[in-house]
Structures are given as C-alpha cells and as structure tokens.
Amino acid sequence: MSQPLFSIIIPTRERHLTLPYAIESILIQNYSNFELIIMDNFSSEETYKVVNQFKDERIKYFRANERLSISENWELGLSYTNGEYIFVLGDDDALMPDGLELASRLISEYNVNILSWCRYSYGWPNAIVPWVRNRLQLNLLSHAELWNSKERLKQFYNYQLSHEFLPMVYNSFVHRKIIERIKSIYGKYFMSSTMATAPDVYSGLVNAYFTDSYLYSFRSISIIGSSGYSLGASVCYQSFKSEPLKDALKDEKEDNRSKVHPTLIYTTNQEIGFAHVQLCTKELFFPSDTELEVNIENLLNFVIQHINRDPGTYEITLKDIEALAQKHSISVANLNIPEKSTNLNTDVEGYQGLIFTSEGTPRQLIINCEQVGISNVAQAVKLAQGILPRMEKIVVHNTHINKLTKEEELQLKYQNEDNKQSVPRVLVDGVFFQLYKTGIARVWKSLLEQWANTKFANHILVLDRANTAPKINGINYRTIHAYDYNNTEGDRQMIQQICNEEGAELFISSYYTTPITTPSVFMAYDMIPEVLGVNLNEPMWREKHKGIKHASAFIAISENTAKDLSKFFPHIPLESITVAHCGVDSLFCPTSEVEINAFKYKYGINKPYFLLSGLGGYKNAILFFQAFAQLSNKHSFDIVATGAGSQLPFEWRQYTAGCTFHGLQLSDEELRLAYAGAVALVYPSQYEGFGMPVIEAMACGCPVITTPNASLPEAGGDAVIYVKDDDIEGMVDALCEMQKPICRNLLINAGLEQAKHFSWFKMAGIVKTALIKASFLDLNLKETNIIIFPDWSTDEEQLGLELMDLIKLITSHPNHKQITLLIDINGVAQEEADLFLQGIAMNLMIEEEIDITENLTISLLRDLTDSQWQSLIYCINARFVLEHENKQIVANPPVGKIPLFSLENL
C-alpha cells in the first residue's frame, strides 16, 4: 500500500455529538490520498458507534486503554500515522470541502515542509461564549505568504504575534521528517501538557524552530469550531464554563498538574500558560538562543491586555499579576492595569455583517448561521465554500518583513533568472472561447486556472480571439483576430506568423485550428461526427481532420475517445494517445436543504424533480420522456432541463401532460443546487466524449441514470444505474428505483466516492506533461525517464563498466520497455559518445546476450538552455547517481530538483 500524502488525526474524548460532523467534512473531500486516524481517549461506546457508522477504509479507529492527558493522546494518535504530512483536527472542527485538494496543490507547487493557514471559525449553538453562537467568521483574504520561521518565532516571544500565526500541527500540514527530527532529540514529539496548556502551541514553536520557512495561507483549509466542550474557550472564559478545563486537568498525571517553570507561578491563565510552554521549549531545544527569550515585564503587560476578556475572572487574574510581579520584584504600581469592566452580559447577541479595514476594505464576514438553518460545523464549511470566491490558485508572496535565508535568496535568484529567460514555447489557441461557452470552454478555463502562477505558465501563451478568452492572473495573452470558417487558410498563415514571432516550439488549439509548420498537439474531446455519420465536409469537421493530420502528438479526454480516434485514424497507435480525464470543479459539492429550497422557490419548482442535461439529438432525452409517461405517479414530479436546447419540443408534450416542465439556463452556482436537489440526473446519451454532467451530479450528491455508451462508464463507474439507450422499460424501472430511499442513498454515497477520482489538478498535470513531451519528441520520452550525467574525462574502461551495470539493471526491470535513459553528453563530441555507447551495446550483446536496441530507449542530451531544462524537468522521474559523475553540471540548481536514485533503488 502506497504512503498517503496526508494523515489527519482527530483526537477525541467523549465528543460523540460533534465528532460525526468533523469526520463528515473529511470524507466529502474531492481529494482522496489521505488517511484519517480517530484517536479515542478512553471514551464511552457512543464514540465507537459514531465512527463505525462511516464505512470508509481510510478511517482507522484506535482507543486508548486508559484515560490519557491531551498530549499523550495526541502522541499515541501520531504513532499510528503513515502519511507524509501530518495534521491534527479538533473533534468539533471541520475541513473546508476543497481543503485537501488546495493543500496538495500548494505543497506540490511550492515544495514546502510546512503549510499553515489562518483558520475560519464557527460557534456551535452551545458555544461557551454567547456572542459566537451560530456565528461563522470568514477571513476575506485569499493569498499566501512565505514566512521566515525564525522571524515569526521572535515576534511570538516578543508578544508581537498571535499563536494562530505559528505553524502549529493544529493549523498546519507538517512534513513527517520534521516530526521525526524532533522525536530524535526529545524522544517524542509532544511535550507534556501542563498548566492546562494543550500541545498545539508547543508544536508551533518546535515546528518553526526546525524549519527555515513555512507557507502561510490566508485562504483557510479548515474551520475551528467552538462548542460547549471546547478547552480553549473554557480556559479563556472560565467564569462562563470551566468544566472542559477541569476535565483536562483531571486527565493530567498528578505530577504534571501543578508543574510550572520556576520563573512563573502556577495558574490556569492562558497567557502565563503560553509563557510556560515558551520557557520549557527553549530549555529543551534552544537554550543558548538569546533572540528567543521571555521578558517577564512584557509578559505581565500581555496578561494585563487580556484582563477584561472575562471580567468574571478579573480578580483571579489580578492576583496572578501581583504574584508574578512580586516574584520578580516588579512594582505593580508601575503597571497600567485597567479597572474591571462592568459590561458582562452573557445574553449579548453576536455581531453579523462585514468588518472593514481602516482603509475601508472588507476584511472579515460574520454570518448568523441560525438565519440560514445551519446548526453544525459540517454545514458551516459548505456554506463558507459556497460564499467565498472559488480558489483554483493562491498567489504566494515573500513578505517584506521577513529576512530570507541564504538558501531562500539563492532559490529566489534562480527563480527570477528562470522567469527572465523563459519565453512562451507552447501557443494555446483560445478559439473555443470565441465560438461557444459549453463544456470545452470549461475544460480550457480550468486548465489555465490550474497552470496560472506556476512555473509552467511562463512557457505558454494564449491566443485570445477578439478578446473573448477569460482573463486569468498569471497567464500570458496575445489578442488576435476572430476566427472565421470562411478564411481558414488565411488563419493558418496568421497562426504560423505568430508562432515564428513568439519562438513557439509547439502549438495546441482549443478547437481544431492549426499552424503550417510548427508542430502541434491535437486534443480530442469526442468523435461524435465520425461515429454518428454526420456530414464530414462541413468546415468544422474538415478543420478537425486537418488538425489530426497535422498533429505530432495526441491527447484524449477519455479512454473511449482515444480508442475511437485510433479506430478512425489507424495511423495513430492507441498507446501513443495520452488520456487525460476531465475534472470536476470544487464548486460542485453537496449543499444544504436551505439553499436547495431557495433555488426551487426562485424557479417555481414545487415538487420533487428529475433533472435532464440537454434534450436534442444524441442526448436522447426522448427515452426519459417515453418512460416518464408510463410512471403511475408521474404527477408527483416536475421535470427540469438545463443547458442548450432545453426547451420542450411540442411533440413531446404528450408525455408530460399534467406535469410541469422547467427549461432553465443556469449559472454554475445554480447548476450545483439543481443537481443537489434532484431526485436523479437522467442522462440517456447515445455518445459522449467524457460525460461531465455525470461527475458533476455525483459530486453534488445527485444519483445518476445513464447509458453504458462510449465514455459514460468511465465517468460513472459502479456508482450509477445504466440503461440501454433504447430500453424504455429499463428506464421505467430505473426511475422507479430512484424513488426508493435505500437505492438513492447507496447511489449518492457511491457517486460521491466516484467523483473524487476526477480533478482538474490531475488533468492539468497530465496535459502539461504531454505538452512537454511533445516539445521533446526527439528524446523519445516515455512513462519513466531516467537521466545520468557521466564524467566523460573519466577512464574509459571504468566509465564503461559503470554504464554497463546501469543498463543491465534497467533492462532487467519488468517495465524496461517503458523506460527512456537520458544521457548527458556535455564534455564529449557526439560521434565519440555514439561510438562509446555502441561499444557498450556490443559488449552487452556478447557477454550478457542483451540487445539494448530492443530492450531500452537511450537518448542523448547536450547544451539545453535553462528554459528547456525547466520544461524537461517535469518529465524526468529520477537521476541516477554515478560514481564517475560530472560534478559541475549536477551542481546546477535545475538539476538539483531531480529526485536522486542509486542503482539499488531501481
């Protein structure tokens, strides 16, 4: 079993009322490479029952044999993890629906060991603090910043920074190697939680200390919930409810309960508790670091700042201030202690609305969830996802307040040099945005959004036809004339001229345009005209076939489309076609009944309804209407059709007599609600290139009836009901099955899982790799590409023996025919390298009976530019480390990004 990217730990203690909602928020993720560890701290059987109701193999439940302290339970949960990155989620908290997908993208793109985020917050209806009850607080910032860890630590020790900005395991994905390094020093990861201080703050200190920098996203990946059981709220507002604090103290080992750093006093005050953690962490890990000190006078002022947070504990906090000041001979008279606040109203109603910065910019949004029917954190994250702008990318800045390490400065230098040297090498014709606004436009918009603000964006240029392409930050555009089917030859000449001017090495069109000589990649969306036998002499299809004949590489959006492309154009081997399945936007996710009811009210939908996507032609909607007419209870349902051609033909009205038909043109946001509220999506198509409505519906929790035609089984898998496209009785049976709650629930759950297999992030990666490989056709790149950098000044016999061993090893691999060995020949003439390798090939044939011309593809590299390296690097899986290696070349930063392997690793 491969290592999951993410391990999520939910430590829990008698929280069976909130725990299921935390679990639910994880299982609805549209990213699946994770494991979920439920670490039960000796709870009653209700906790096990809650976990057991979720039938998901990624959930692993463990129960302590006795009641443990918080840190001990967290440590035990950590011991069960296998993932590369670790995160602890509270049992009344939740992940944002796109949280894991966003985290995986940021970690992959910026190659960070720690990804932290600014958590949104939600007050449960029973929250300890009255004014946060049923309030969802959202930060409206959406960028990320690369922070210098030491600078943040210094700010925290100087009381200039909240602990929320530290890279705590409670608001961060932390790479396992950092955790293992801390364990190697201390023997465990978490420090004992004393003075009612949970281990989250401690983890923020050590994580920051043992990494140079971390990425901090203001677009949140999780929501912190504040319920009636929250320890943090109980510590801060002890006069409101102290039971969670008392329970936590009771769980501590007796010798830890009153343990306190000798410079402090024992108390349950949060600020002094933080100081205890700061001092103990310093003594353990950085005792001689004079920049990280706790100044007692600063600490006292920090406590004073919060003395009226809970006026009910004012006198207790005042005594703590006096005792700590006396211990350090500090005059209380010199401290500016405010009078006790008299404004203690436990019935106060929380604020709702926008909060603005001093410049008048909206900074936060606070929502009264009671007004929209939301009462738990799982519903709150869905509301947050629906309200906030979709985030396909996050802009990352290096903040001006940080000092960069030498390594960061060097990395930034090479990054800037790459950007200066990189020129657009792949031209993308955005012609489809001019012609139509249908599914193919969604495909290309999604791909461009995925590539934006990545290094790959520096290598592409979008041709914007008459200013019709969507403008995406981070993507380069060149506006050109609109496309005209009456002047296709002139258009080809114009494209070629632009390719020449821009130095393009490759061209790809969103819809069948071509240059004259620049190599091109053809993307096949479907073969509907060829399969259904339409007039292929129409200009659109003539241009399609010219595009196929001109292309040197091919991408298809489904396995079936690839098969049909190869079938109708036999000169294209099926195995040469790259398949890149479409994704599903994170917008498409289950929604609340409140939102569904509002949608139905807006469009006058008064009954349960079946949903159709398009009516005309091969969409074959007539099958549904013929079957619907036979339902004995058809008058109990409405019919909703969306998309182009969604008006009911006159001759079909006989099938809907007595029923209401709604033909709607919907935005994506409304389409999500239409899917989520439908009895089922009925999609009886005769042919599809992919079947995007199927995965969108499944992602929204909508059951699907479709046909087993073309690519639809790839989209639907085992999660839909299949009916033959001419089987009226079969469709009647399927419509009846969809009215059974057991059947619907099974299909909903199966569909949500199936939809997780599709993402734009994955498709963008596959297409990017295919484009790069196409621009290096002469290198014969394959599924696995390995590179070596021989030192050609080495003794010929020694180098020959080393390369023979490497080639023997590769050719013995079961998948050797899918491996290309790239050999750098800088430092030797091409002819000499060819003769040298011919000699190796002959020796292998004579001594080992290995014919490398049949068993291995070898390509030679020389004098690549930096921009070429930046492109090729995406396709190289590993660099084999040779004993006789060109040290000068491997010291170059681009080469250093390639994963290292030795002979033993293959």
Side-chain angles (χ1 to χ4, degrees):
M1 182 176 177
S2 61
Q3 180 188 32
L5 182 62
F6 298 126
S7 289
I8 304 166
I9 308 169
I10 302 183
T12 188
R13 176 191 184 278
E14 306 293 2
R15 301 276 188 90
H16 58 275
L17 296 178
T18 61
L19 177 61
Y21 301 105
I23 295 175
E24 178 188 337
S25 75
I26 296 171
L27 299 185
I28 65 169
Q29 297 290 307
N30 52 13
Y31 180 91
S32 59
N33 189 17
F34 68 87
E35 63 175 4
L36 172 56
I37 309 296
I38 308 294
M39 191 59 244
D40 182 358
N41 193 356
F42 201 60
S43 302
S44 58
E45 65 176 348
E46 282 84 356
T47 297
Y48 173 74
K49 289 178 181 177
V50 163
V51 178
N52 195 45
Q53 73 184 12
F54 294 96
K55 306 300 182 184
D56 194 302
E57 62 183 10
R58 294 167 298 184
I59 299 178
K60 301 174 184 176
Y61 171 81
F62 302 96
R63 184 175 184 267
N65 295 324
E66 60 178 338
R67 185 57 56 77
L68 303 174
S69 69
I70 297 173
S71 61
E72 289 172 332
N73 195 50
W74 287 28
E75 190 76 40
L76 185 57
L78 179 63
S79 70
Y80 293 120
T81 62
N82 298 297
E84 188 176 352
Y85 287 84
I86 317 295
F87 165 56
V88 175
L89 183 74
D91 52 11
D92 54 4
D93 302 348
L95 274 182
M96 290 290 290
D98 63 349
L100 294 185
E101 182 182 18
L102 185 58
S104 67
R105 191 182 315 134
L106 286 170
I107 287 171
S108 172
E109 181 63 31
Y110 296 99
N111 193 29
V112 289
N113 290 323
I114 300 180
L115 168 64
S116 301
W117 56 89
C118 179
R119 295 180 290 183
Y120 305 147
S121 64
Y122 168 71
W124 287 73
N126 67 343
I128 291 173
V129 183
W131 53 86
V132 304
R133 289 174 186 159
N134 275 317
R135 294 302 191 269
L136 173 63
Q137 183 169 320
L138 304 176
N139 171 25
L140 299 181
L141 298 175
S142 59
H143 69 285
E145 296 178 355
L146 187 63
W147 284 352
N148 181 283
S149 302
K150 183 66 176 290
E151 292 298 312
R152 290 302 183 211
L153 266 182
K154 285 161 59 177
Q155 290 172 336
F156 182 68
Y157 270 82
N158 290 329
Y159 301 101
Q160 299 169 334
L161 186 78
S162 165
H163 66 285
E164 281 290 333
F165 295 104
L166 292 175
M168 303 181 292
V169 75
Y170 220 31
N171 68 338
S172 308
F173 279 110
V174 181
H175 198 285
R176 178 174 294 277
K177 67 183 179 183
I178 293 175
I179 293 173
E180 293 301 327
R181 184 178 178 190
I182 293 164
K183 288 171 68 175
S184 70
I185 297 171
Y186 184 43
K188 56 184 179 179
Y189 178 60
F190 293 108
M191 183 171 66
S192 298
S193 49
T194 58
M195 297 180 66
T197 301
D200 53 350
V201 176
Y202 157 79
S203 72
L205 298 179
V206 291
N207 291 340
Y209 187 76
F210 285 102
T211 189
D212 290 332
S213 62
Y214 60 101
L215 190 61
Y216 192 88
S217 171
F218 287 91
R219 177 62 179 241
S220 188
I221 287 169
S222 70
I223 282 184
I224 181 171
S226 180
S227 69
Y229 318 106
S230 296
L231 174 59
S234 181
V235 172
C236 292
Y237 297 94
Q238 295 177 35
S239 75
F240 287 63
K241 186 177 181 180
S242 59
E243 283 76 15
L245 170 60
K246 292 175 181 177
D247 288 341
L249 288 172
K250 189 167 54 178
D251 293 344
E252 293 292 341
K253 291 181 179 177
E254 191 169 346
D255 60 343
N256 277 341
R257 288 178 193 167
S258 59
K259 187 182 289 185
V260 58
H261 192 275
T263 63
L264 303 176
I265 59 167
Y266 178 76
T267 176
T268 56
N269 174 273
Q270 177 177 265
E271 287 69 42
I272 298 176
F274 284 176
H276 169 79
V277 174
Q278 290 171 295
L279 289 163
C280 293
T281 305
K282 174 181 172 60
E283 290 182 355
L284 281 171
F285 296 104
F286 38 91
S288 59
D289 194 325
T290 57
E291 292 186 304
L292 302 176
E293 302 279 4
V294 173
N295 179 287
I296 298 299
E297 195 162 343
N298 289 343
L299 169 60
L300 285 167
N301 287 322
F302 188 52
V303 177
I304 290 168
Q305 287 175 26
H306 298 88
I307 192 170
N308 273 313
R309 175 177 54 213
D310 177 4
T313 60
Y314 179 92
E315 287 78 11
I316 297 172
T317 307
L318 182 59
K319 287 181 180 178
D320 288 340
I321 292 169
E322 292 170 343
L324 185 59
Q326 182 180 2
K327 187 166 188 172
H328 292 272
S329 303
I330 296 173
S331 172
V332 176
N334 293 332
L335 299 173
N336 187 19
I337 303 175
E339 295 293 324
K340 179 179 178 179
S341 172
T342 57
N343 183 24
L344 179 58
N345 182 2
T346 57
D347 296 323
V348 66
E349 185 174 338
Y351 174 81
Q352 57 181 315
L354 285 168
I355 297 176
F356 295 87
T357 65
S358 57
E359 292 81 21
T361 304
R363 178 171 58 90
Q364 288 181 331
L365 173 64
I366 299 177
I367 302 163
N368 184 345
C369 293
E370 187 175 3
Q371 294 179 352
V372 289
I374 284 175
S375 59
N376 63 66
V377 75
Q379 294 172 333
V381 290
K382 294 174 185 176
L383 177 61
Q385 183 82 0
I387 289 174
L388 293 167
R390 285 184 291 154
M391 191 53 53
E392 297 298 338
K393 61 184 181 298
I394 286 188
V395 178
V396 174
H397 308 286
N398 282 301
T399 55
H400 67 280
I401 61 172
N402 291 342
K403 295 177 181 176
L404 299 180
T405 63
K406 289 182 179 178
E407 183 184 53
E408 289 169 336
E409 289 173 351
L410 190 63
Q411 185 179 11
L412 194 60
K413 173 189 172 187
Y414 283 117
Q415 207 171 49
N416 292 337
E417 287 177 357
D418 288 343
N419 290 341
K420 289 175 187 174
Q421 293 173 358
S422 297
V423 295
R425 301 178 61 245
V426 180
L427 259 59
V428 179
D429 190 345
V431 62
F432 195 86
F433 296 118
Q434 174 204 328
L435 301 175
Y436 306 102
K437 305 299 179 188
T438 51
I440 295 172
R442 187 195 296 279
V443 169
W444 277 101
K445 182 174 183 289
S446 299
L447 291 176
L448 294 173
E449 287 173 339
Q450 292 292 328
W451 292 332
N453 293 306
T454 70
K455 292 179 181 178
F456 184 63
N458 296 320
H459 299 269
I460 61 175
L461 176 69
V462 175
L463 302 184
D464 183 3
R465 298 278 185 163
N467 207 29
T468 56
K471 302 306 181 290
I472 299 166
N473 289 334
I475 297 296
N476 299 306
Y477 295 88
R478 175 169 170 171
T479 304
I480 64 173
H481 294 302
Y483 186 66
D484 182 359
Y485 277 114
N486 295 317
N487 186 26
T488 55
E489 189 56 40
D491 193 82
R492 247 187 295 280
Q493 293 174 7
M494 178 188 69
I495 290 175
Q496 186 57 56
Q497 181 179 343
I498 294 171
C499 287
N500 295 340
E501 291 171 358
E502 298 291 347
E505 298 178 36
L506 193 69
F507 176 87
I508 183 169
S509 176
S510 57
Y511 208 62
Y512 310 151
T513 54
T514 55
I516 297 172
T517 58
T518 299
S520 65
V521 174
F522 181 85
M523 182 175 282
Y525 310 107
D526 60 61
M527 301 300 287
I528 293 173
E530 293 80 7
V531 171
L532 300 184
V534 304
N535 180 9
L536 297 179
N537 288 320
E538 292 182 7
M540 185 184 299
W541 309 133
R542 284 204 313 268
E543 293 307 303
K544 176 182 179 180
H545 286 214
K546 286 179 181 177
I548 292 172
K549 291 174 182 176
H550 182 274
S552 53
F554 300 88
I555 300 170
I557 62 172
S558 68
E559 299 280 357
N560 186 78
T561 298
K563 290 175 183 175
D564 284 345
L565 176 61
S566 182
K567 173 184 174 182
F568 286 99
F569 295 88
H571 71 280
I572 306 172
L574 178 59
E575 61 273 12
S576 71
I577 304 171
T578 298
V579 174
H581 286 118
C582 297
V584 59
D585 200 292
S586 58
L587 167 73
F588 294 103
C589 62
T591 189
S592 66
E593 287 296 322
V594 175
E595 292 176 282
I596 292 171
N597 289 337
F599 164 76
K600 292 171 71 175
Y601 178 80
K602 176 180 178 180
Y603 288 104
I605 303 170
N606 299 314
K607 297 177 183 178
Y609 61 91
F610 289 103
L611 182 65
L612 302 169
S613 181
L615 302 182
Y618 66 91
K619 295 297 182 182
N620 194 36
I622 184 63
L623 177 66
F624 163 76
F625 286 98
Q626 291 169 332
F628 181 78
Q630 296 186 25
L631 293 180
S632 60
N633 63 341
K634 73 173 186 176
H635 298 106
S636 300
F637 298 95
D638 283 0
I639 302 168
V640 176
T642 69
S646 58
Q647 297 308 306
L648 187 67
F650 179 81
E651 61 272 20
W652 290 6
R653 294 181 183 179
Q654 59 178 313
Y655 302 117
T656 62
C659 301
T660 303
F661 174 86
H662 307 267
L664 306 178
Q665 297 295 319
L666 302 176
S667 66
D668 285 351
E669 288 75 10
E670 290 179 320
L671 182 58
R672 170 179 73 103
L673 300 175
Y675 283 135
V679 175
L681 169 71
V682 185
Y683 199 64
S685 180
Q686 294 172 327
Y687 184 96
E688 290 293 325
F690 177 66
M692 201 175 294
V694 172
I695 60 169
E696 289 175 348
M698 292 189 298
C700 293
C702 175
V704 176
I705 302 170
T706 188
T707 63
N709 296 341
S711 62
L712 288 166
E714 294 176 57
D718 297 326
V720 303
I721 292 180
Y722 292 104
V723 177
K724 290 182 179 179
D725 61 26
D726 59 355
D727 186 357
I728 298 174
E729 290 304 316
M731 179 60 76
V732 172
D733 292 342
L735 295 176
C736 291
E737 284 296 302
M738 284 301 186
Q739 299 175 48
K740 299 176 182 178
I742 293 177
C743 176
R744 287 192 78 251
N745 289 335
L746 286 172
L747 288 169
I748 287 170
N749 292 330
L752 289 170
E753 286 302 309
Q754 175 70 4
K756 292 175 184 177
H757 296 143
F758 303 97
S759 79
W760 294 119
F761 178 67
K762 186 188 298 184
M763 184 186 189
I766 294 171
V767 174
K768 175 183 73 175
T769 301
L771 293 175
I772 294 167
K773 285 183 177 179
S775 64
F776 289 100
L777 284 176
D778 56 324
L779 295 182
N780 298 304
L781 298 176
K782 295 191 176 178
E783 184 179 316
T784 302
N785 302 294
I786 299 165
I787 192 167
I788 57 174
F789 296 90
D791 180 358
W792 295 99
S793 64
T794 305
D795 177 76
E796 189 173 308
E797 184 176 353
Q798 290 181 331
L799 184 60
L801 290 172
E802 188 173 13
L803 294 189
M804 279 182 64
D805 288 341
L806 172 61
I807 292 170
K808 272 196 301 184
L809 191 61
I810 294 175
T811 55
S812 68
H813 194 278
N815 295 324
H816 60 270
K817 291 194 175 180
Q818 288 302 316
I819 297 175
T820 293
L821 176 62
L822 302 170
I823 302 178
D824 178 80
I825 58 170
N826 282 290
V828 66
Q830 173 87 38
E831 297 78 10
E832 290 181 38
D834 287 338
L835 287 171
F836 182 76
L837 292 171
Q838 288 171 14
I840 291 176
M842 189 173 294
N843 288 338
L844 286 170
M845 176 71 80
I846 295 170
E847 298 175 14
E848 307 289 341
E849 296 185 352
I850 296 174
D851 185 355
I852 65 173
T853 60
E854 293 183 0
N855 292 288
L856 180 63
T857 300
I858 296 178
S859 298
L860 307 183
L861 286 177
R862 178 196 294 280
D863 297 332
L864 293 183
T865 66
D866 282 351
S867 60
Q868 287 175 318
W869 265 117
Q870 289 299 330
S871 297
L872 182 61
I873 209 166
Y874 291 113
C875 303
I876 300 177
N877 303 87
R879 170 167 72 88
F880 275 91
V881 181
L882 300 175
E883 182 181 349
H884 304 97
E885 195 166 55
N886 189 325
K887 307 297 183 188
Q888 184 177 355
I889 292 180
V890 299
N892 291 333
V895 176
K897 297 173 185 176
I898 304 171
L900 297 179
F901 280 78
S902 61
L903 292 178
E904 292 76 16
N905 295 130
L906 185 61

